[in-house]
Amino acid sequence: MAEGENEVRWDGLCSRDSTTRETALENIRQIILRKTEYLRSVKETPYPSDGLSNAVSLDGLNKLLAHLLMLSKRCPFKDVREKSEFILKSVQELGIRIPRPLGHGPSRFIPEKEILQVGSEDAQMHALFSDSFAALGRLDNITLVMVFHPQYLESFLKTQHYLLQMDGPLPLHYRHYIGIMAAARHQCSYLVNLHVNDFLHVGGDPKWLNGLENAPRKLQNLGELNKVLAHRPWLITKEHIEGLLKAEEHSWSLAELVHAVVLLTHYHSLASFTFGCGISPEIHCDGGHTFRPPSVSNYCICDFTNGNHGVDETQVNSAGNVSVSESFFEVEALMEKMRQLQECRDEEEASQEEMASRFEIEKRESMFVFSSDDEEVPPARDVSRHFEDTSYGYKDFSRHGMHVPTFRVQDYCWEDHGYSLVNRLYPDVGQLIDEKFHIAYNLTYNTMAMHKDVDTSMLRRAIWNYIHCMFGIRYDDYDYGEINQLLDRSFKVYIKTVVCTPEKVTKRMYDSFWRQFKHSEKVHVNLLLIEARMQAELLYALRAITRYMT
């Protein structure tokens, strides 16, 4: 009776055909009831023979029940949700403990009531949810938080599906393993766990998961690029590229390397989104459910620490009491600064020398923005085994007497150089990424907190260019003096932490910027952050590839 979760075929539940789903659900029901009956019979045996075997059987059943719990809450198909719940109740009636979700919803930072509930979506959103579920076999918490911005989500899912599942230079198991390597650099166990499951599902060798040293030499060689790209991309040179392309029998082709680089940058950025939005563990993964009965108050202690316990967020933050009028004043002040800057732009334009000087000032100042939670936290073994050199992390590019030349967008930019290189070596991906960049950058509902009909382009550009400035990337036509006017210190701390050291993001940081803004607007900020970060990493990597090729 050692049937594990992998023996159960969940694929049929992804079908759009209700009869196929019904057949799959009935098969799952029979397997689970068979395992349940076996464990009940063992319990009733006066002298059970093999304790270890029984523990393995119970563990296998618990994994199946956790998966069913996830389906009962997160499957876009109503029949699957209802039947999953029915099977769980049937098991409970037979005297077996069933799991319940931990926490409250997809995000530890955003109250569950503000996030779209599965089952209450409109037809357009249902189609999007169904596509996502059909592709991945789950509707993950990242999707449920990104759904605040459906246009972006559609582009994101299309790009990710292409990178992971459509025709491309790299085999499927390599793609998921590279995702694990990239997420592990930021200690993002959420993404690591998801891709460990996906890696095994597509036939990956479980031995590779014991540590990077057990993976093929070709993947081990990618470790250095992963490390530098994640933490100090301005240090990438054509020598890094040459080392991967000329490694004899372990060599990468140019097309494979571009695929790998896009995957690395995608998952570094997605780790930023995961931490920046406080994404909770998936219901069926570790930390997402419990088999313990609910406590008297029906709250888990973790709910109090993550802030999801019903306190009115406009009244309190870590700094103490924040009145609604105070945060209202912050919004008004920001609107006024935008108006003044627009008037100054219309009246006079700074010289090129002045613009260059303002960039250098902002670049220097960005080095002195850091979170108060700046102590190093050693990564857990289950994550750190997927990469080498665990002490290597983000360091500002001008520290320790280093001088990194400014990366001028006029000399090498995404639109004129990076896009065409990616599209040439990995067809269609350049187009998909470009569309995603444009949607994130141009996305607007012309609102700011309680105000409507607002042009937010100045604010969006300041956020994007501040991130690129932190990476040493300069736009000659941008006045970097605007950044200090529009982005206050608490916001800069949040931005820098999400982009450079996402594992250090706290709910306090999330709550402390733009206190009167909606959660959907803060998620929008995170979309800008991850796309600006991904583009910055890609620019450095693709420029190095271009230099190698020429």
Side-chain angles (χ1 to χ4, degrees):
M1 280 307 298
E3 256 171 327
E5 194 192 10
N6 293 335
E7 269 75 24
V8 175
R9 301 296 302 170
W10 302 101
D11 304 15
L13 304 182
C14 300
S15 171
R16 295 180 190 280
D17 174 51
S18 59
T19 311
T20 305
R21 295 199 300 268
E22 191 179 343
T23 305
L25 280 163
E26 182 53 30
N27 287 339
I28 290 165
R29 187 185 76 84
Q30 288 179 13
I31 288 171
I32 286 177
L33 289 181
R34 211 161 52 235
K35 290 172 80 69
T36 303
E37 291 292 351
Y38 170 74
L39 284 166
R40 278 185 72 210
S41 67
V42 166
K43 260 187 184 177
E44 289 160 9
T45 306
Y47 306 106
S49 55
D50 187 353
L52 179 63
S53 167
N54 296 337
V56 169
S57 292
L58 180 60
D59 183 56
L61 176 62
N62 283 347
K63 283 180 176 164
L64 294 176
L65 296 177
H67 201 113
L68 270 184
L69 176 68
M70 178 272 287
L71 292 170
S72 74
K73 305 286 184 191
R74 295 282 192 263
C75 183
F77 303 118
K78 188 180 179 187
D79 56 333
V80 175
R81 289 199 305 274
E82 290 177 347
K83 187 67 182 275
S84 299
E85 198 169 334
F86 171 76
I87 297 170
L88 284 169
K89 281 181 178 162
S90 306
V91 169
Q92 189 174 33
E93 284 163 9
L94 291 170
I96 300 288
R97 276 200 304 193
I98 63 168
R100 64 185 177 85
L102 267 177
H104 294 280
S107 164
R108 294 177 295 109
F109 297 172
I110 305 170
E112 188 174 16
K113 65 180 183 292
E114 297 205 23
I115 293 175
L116 180 65
Q117 303 297 302
V118 178
S120 61
E121 70 273 14
D122 61 22
Q124 183 189 359
M125 200 58 69
H126 180 73
L128 202 53
F129 280 176
S130 302
D131 286 347
S132 179
F133 191 82
L136 295 168
R138 61 175 179 264
L139 198 54
D140 58 40
N141 289 338
I142 284 177
T143 300
L144 291 172
V145 171
M146 279 185 183
V147 87
F148 278 119
H149 305 286
Q151 187 192 3
Y152 175 86
L153 176 61
E154 189 171 4
S155 175
F156 171 85
L157 290 174
K158 212 187 330 178
T159 306
Q160 184 167 262
H161 177 64
Y162 198 94
L163 287 173
L164 292 176
Q165 291 168 298
M166 301 295 281
D167 287 346
L170 293 172
L172 297 183
H173 62 302
Y174 265 52
R175 302 180 198 194
H176 290 294
Y177 197 81
I178 291 168
I180 293 167
M181 288 172 66
R185 280 271 24 143
H186 283 307
Q187 304 167 39
C188 187
S189 53
Y190 171 87
L191 288 173
V192 169
N193 288 339
L194 283 186
H195 285 280
V196 161
N197 290 336
D198 292 340
F199 172 78
L200 294 171
H201 184 70
V202 297
D205 185 344
K207 289 197 201 74
W208 297 10
L209 300 174
N210 293 331
L212 185 58
E213 67 278 5
N214 297 290
R217 169 58 60 185
K218 184 171 175 174
L219 281 166
Q220 290 181 43
N221 290 349
L222 195 64
E224 181 71 13
L225 186 66
N226 179 28
K227 175 179 88 172
V228 181
L229 202 51
H231 305 298
R232 305 173 205 173
W234 48 87
L235 298 181
I236 290 172
T237 64
K238 67 176 185 180
E239 282 71 33
H240 286 108
I241 305 306
E242 188 170 20
L244 289 163
L245 296 175
K246 293 188 171 176
E248 295 169 351
E249 72 268 30
H250 308 297
S251 293
W252 292 75
S253 70
L254 266 174
E256 287 174 331
L257 185 57
V258 165
H259 193 169
V261 161
V262 172
L263 282 166
L264 290 172
T265 58
H266 177 81
Y267 282 103
H268 295 155
S269 302
L270 204 50
S272 284
F273 186 85
T274 301
F275 286 114
C277 290
I279 300 294
S280 304
E282 294 298 326
I283 288 174
H284 61 300
C285 292
D286 288 346
H289 62 273
T290 179
F291 283 86
R292 290 193 303 277
S295 60
V296 178
S297 68
N298 207 29
Y299 282 122
C300 156
I301 189 68
C302 61
D303 299 328
F304 285 96
T305 57
N306 72 29
N308 288 333
H309 47 80
V311 175
D312 183 354
E313 297 199 352
T314 58
Q315 300 302 319
V316 180
N317 84 345
S318 61
N321 292 323
V322 175
S323 68
V324 173
S325 60
E326 254 184 86
S327 43
F328 175 80
F329 177 72
E330 288 174 358
V331 179
E332 296 301 310
L334 181 55
M335 297 271 292
E336 181 56 33
K337 281 176 186 169
M338 287 166 65
R339 276 193 289 271
Q340 288 172 1
L341 283 171
Q342 190 57 56
E343 284 170 16
C344 291
R345 268 187 192 175
D346 295 342
E347 286 169 17
E348 58 175 322
E349 196 172 306
S351 67
Q352 279 299 309
E353 291 76 16
E354 179 61 23
M355 301 267 257
S357 164
R358 288 174 187 175
F359 169 78
E360 291 301 329
I361 290 167
E362 190 54 54
K363 192 169 81 166
R364 274 198 307 278
E365 282 191 3
S366 77
M367 294 193 310
F368 300 105
V369 173
F370 50 86
S371 76
S372 54
D373 311 290
D374 217 10
E375 69 279 356
E376 291 300 322
V377 181
R381 163 68 189 151
D382 62 331
V383 173
S384 65
R385 64 184 169 205
H386 299 300
F387 64 92
E388 296 161 334
D389 197 358
T390 54
S391 63
Y392 190 94
Y394 174 79
K395 288 281 185 292
D396 289 307
F397 43 73
S398 299
R399 291 268 167 95
H400 312 302
M402 278 176 53
H403 176 70
V404 176
T406 293
F407 186 127
R408 294 176 73 250
V409 170
Q410 278 65 20
D411 299 333
Y412 194 96
C413 68
W414 167 256
E415 289 79 7
D416 297 337
H417 307 95
Y419 168 81
S420 55
L421 177 62
V422 171
N423 242 21
R424 191 164 81 244
L425 292 167
Y426 187 8
D428 298 331
V429 163
Q431 178 69 43
L432 288 166
I433 294 171
D434 189 59
E435 180 186 289
K436 188 159 61 75
F437 286 156
H438 278 283
I439 290 172
Y441 188 85
N442 296 313
L443 187 65
T444 183
Y445 306 96
N446 298 307
T447 59
M448 268 180 64
M450 69 297 290
H451 295 281
K452 293 182 178 168
D453 301 318
V454 183
D455 180 358
T456 61
S457 55
M458 180 185 287
L459 190 54
R460 284 180 276 122
R461 190 174 185 195
I463 293 168
W464 187 279
N465 286 4
Y466 179 60
I467 293 158
H468 281 196
C469 178
M470 290 191 307
F471 283 89
I473 297 170
R474 181 187 162 212
Y475 295 82
D476 283 354
D477 62 348
Y478 182 69
D479 180 357
Y480 285 85
E482 292 187 4
I483 288 173
N484 269 340
Q485 295 290 313
L486 297 172
L487 313 183
D488 65 26
R489 187 161 185 84
S490 64
F491 191 17
K492 283 182 170 182
V493 166
Y494 178 77
I495 291 173
K496 187 169 183 180
T497 309
V498 169
V499 171
C500 301
T501 53
E503 58 278 10
K504 294 180 181 175
V505 174
T506 62
K507 185 173 189 298
R508 179 179 53 75
M509 286 179 198
Y510 176 89
D511 287 340
S512 68
F513 83 90
W514 285 8
R515 290 171 292 189
Q516 193 65 19
F517 282 70
K518 301 182 190 80
H519 288 288
S520 60
E521 291 172 308
K522 292 194 172 194
V523 172
H524 185 181
V525 166
N526 275 295
L527 300 182
L528 276 170
L529 303 193
I530 67 171
E531 294 302 336
R533 174 187 179 169
M534 182 173 177
Q535 191 177 97
E537 285 190 27
L538 276 176
L539 283 173
Y540 278 109
L542 296 173
R543 184 180 68 168
I545 291 172
T546 302
R547 284 176 172 173
Y548 167 80
M549 290 167 70
T550 52

